[in-house]
Amino acid sequence: MDVIETRIDTRSDEYLKNYEAMESLVVNLKEELRIAREDRSPAARKRLISQGKMPVREKLELLLDRNTPFLEIAPLAARGMYDGKIHGAGLVSGIGVVADKEVLITCNDAMIKGGATYPLTVKKSLRCQTIVMENRLPSVTLIDSAGGLLQLQSEVFPDIDDGGRLFYNQAKISKMGIPQITAVMGLCTAGGAYVPAMSDEVVHVKGTGAIFLGGPPLVKAATGEEVTADELGGADLHCRESGVSDYYAEDDRHALEILRKIIKNLPNQEKARLSMQEPAPPIYDPKEIYGIVSRQLKVPYDVREVIARIVDRSEFLEFKELYAPTLVCGWAYIHGYPVGIIGNNGILFSDSALKGTQFIQLCDRRQIPLIFLQNINGFIIGREYERLGITKDGHKMVNAVANATVPKFTVMIGASYGAGNYAMCGRAYSPRFLWMWPNAEIAVMGGEQAAGVLVTLRNDQLAKEGAPTMSAEEVEQISGPVIAAARTESNAYYSTAQLWDDGILDPVDTRNVLGLALSAALNAPIRDDILGYGIFRM
């Protein structure tokens, strides 16, 4: 492979301005992540300690192997939603190493509304189960939850993607032979009682852990019986009498020790094999990405410069380098793992789509994971392009993305608009993981373009009525709110709050995050047994 030769002048005024802009975005991102980790009320902390419980981050520190990374999933989920304090949707979730095994861990944060389940809590839990099933990762749950928030029960309970789906998925995960291990470290009530009940093994903490279908208030209201939480569903009852729980823990620390022993006892699972190379860092400083990425989305930059700061030795074997230049495709290694990379250098034309389709097919057949670097305004439009078949050529690439069965990973490094989002493996196309950079935007189209469309439609309507076109003031009345809404709803923080992605990344961390995700993905077969695509219209 050839080393990508950089053309970036790190002393130029443009580079320095871009660097400053991205650095500011990253500083803000790190502050948002700090708030999500640490912003808990003194009363909640005091209550947790008085109950003899450990904060969720301390639990993770004891559970995970020392000096190993933790790939957190959606740490800013529900940001700014509800009362603005439901950090991470009330869950801390991610992939980590326990007893030398990669597992997915999900922990209720009892300092956030007692670990109550909000609609976004359910959505995040379902996302974690998807990660478990797609990557065949053992699932470890540390549960301490007051149950579904009754005020929002209609958004938590009834639909196909609401709370009941969690237990449906648990049954499917069990059928797949993927281990599910739960530690009951607090309340586990109503539907939540099925989380341990449907797990393979259950650790139950004395005094604080309790499992029951109806808590003491409901029991009293329904039967008149007065009973404490511990009497109704504590560790003694479920470990000695009902058999719901399997291991008796004296406290949180003891429960975590037992969990580590259980996970160590799991059979070793051989990972899928790839043609690995010795890992090596890029020859260029990854932090130079700050100055490469334009501070204005509409200003293009060469995606090869980003690739050069992500891949091993900055080496890249480019596919069809001279053909369809608005799509860059090629092979590289990241932390020793072979990958096929597809990155945008402009809008998608017919030749770009055909080039991407061929490259995806090659990677799928060769069992090489795919990485999509999205900075795309969409497909080219216009009469001549429609005549030449942009719609059917674009469909070929979308078809290939949808049907490729090797692991796919997507990073939104700029714009992600319209059908370009689909062709570049947006969330709807099931990448194993998807992240955004803090400068990224996602929408059907940019705010200015959307406003322009509405203005054109209104002027066309006026023309049919024989009326004059809109004045500048009337145009502003239509376009102003549209542009403002786009700025709010297309930015990275809005996306991550809604769980449209798995988190916002500091661009510098992209290489390491991709390495961790590739490692996790290899716990599952690299590719389905069935290769094939739908009909390609010719």
Side-chain angles (χ1 to χ4, degrees), residues 300-485:
Y301 62 89
D302 190 349
V303 73
R304 295 177 186 86
E305 298 287 358
V306 172
I307 295 170
R309 289 153 180 85
I310 291 176
V311 302
D312 291 4
R313 302 178 185 85
S314 301
E315 293 178 342
F316 187 58
L317 177 58
E318 188 162 349
F319 176 72
K320 290 186 182 294
E321 182 179 0
L322 303 179
Y323 179 77
T326 64
L327 192 70
V328 174
C329 304
W331 289 278
Y333 290 82
I334 293 178
H335 282 285
Y337 298 107
V339 293
I341 298 177
I342 302 177
N344 301 118
N345 256 0
I347 204 163
L348 288 167
F349 292 83
S350 282
D351 57 359
S352 316
L354 295 173
K355 173 179 172 179
T357 301
Q358 183 182 358
F359 183 73
I360 290 165
Q361 289 179 301
L362 286 171
C363 289
D364 198 26
R365 186 163 294 277
R366 296 175 184 177
Q367 302 190 43
I368 297 175
L370 283 159
I371 293 174
F372 295 82
L373 301 178
Q374 279 201 20
N375 183 21
I376 179 65
N377 283 320
F379 286 93
I380 191 67
I381 59 175
R383 179 179 177 183
E384 182 64 15
Y385 298 108
E386 292 293 352
R387 188 185 71 80
L388 293 171
I390 183 61
T391 299
K392 64 182 176 67
D393 291 334
H395 121 268
K396 295 182 181 71
M397 184 172 177
V398 170
N399 193 324
V401 171
N403 284 295
T405 65
V406 293
K408 298 172 287 190
F409 308 87
T410 300
V411 187
M412 295 182 180
I413 65 174
S416 178
Y417 294 146
N421 171 279
Y422 303 158
M424 290 297 293
C425 200
R427 187 67 128 184
Y429 286 76
S430 294
R432 296 288 181 92
F433 298 92
L434 184 151
W435 301 277
M436 299 183 81
W437 284 357
N439 63 305
E441 290 187 4
I442 177 172
V444 172
M445 63 183 72
E448 293 179 2
Q449 291 90 336
V453 169
L454 292 176
V455 168
T456 298
L457 290 173
R458 178 56 180 155
N459 278 331
D460 288 347
Q461 182 181 3
L462 290 171
K464 290 178 182 178
E465 297 170 355
T469 59
M470 289 188 293
S471 66
E473 183 178 346
E474 289 172 325
V475 168
E476 176 58 28
Q477 287 175 351
I478 289 180
S479 61
V482 172
I483 293 171

Side-chain angles (χ1 to χ4, degrees), residues 193-332:
Y194 289 111
V195 175
M198 299 186 74
S199 296
D200 298 356
E201 297 178 79
V202 178
V203 181
H204 202 138
V205 178
K206 179 184 74 171
T208 56
I211 305 171
F212 33 63
L213 292 178
L218 183 58
V219 169
K220 184 176 181 179
T223 69
E225 181 183 8
E226 293 193 11
V227 63
T228 67
D230 194 55
E231 291 170 337
L232 186 62
D236 276 286
L237 182 139
H238 285 309
C239 287
R240 300 179 190 276
E241 298 181 45
S242 75
V244 170
S245 303
D246 307 305
Y247 303 90
Y248 189 98
E250 296 291 337
D251 53 25
D252 284 358
R253 187 178 293 268
H254 186 208
L256 296 169
E257 291 174 3
I258 296 171
L259 279 176
R260 287 186 54 82
K261 291 177 182 178
I262 294 170
I263 295 166
K264 184 177 181 179
N265 193 49
L266 294 175
N268 290 324
Q269 181 174 314
E270 186 174 350
K271 285 192 171 189
R273 294 184 180 182
L274 296 175
S275 300
M276 303 280 291
Q277 285 194 1
E278 187 68 26
I283 64 172
Y284 306 111
D285 183 357
K287 204 164 186 180
E288 290 176 356
I289 293 173
Y290 288 9
I292 292 165
V293 175
S294 176
R295 60 194 180 278
Q296 296 178 298
L297 282 184
K298 61 184 178 182
V299 177
Y301 62 89
D302 190 349
V303 73
R304 295 177 186 86
E305 298 287 358
V306 172
I307 295 170
R309 289 153 180 85
I310 291 176
V311 302
D312 291 4
R313 302 178 185 85
S314 301
E315 293 178 342
F316 187 58
L317 177 58
E318 188 162 349
F319 176 72
K320 290 186 182 294
E321 182 179 0
L322 303 179
Y323 179 77
T326 64
L327 192 70
V328 174
C329 304
W331 289 278

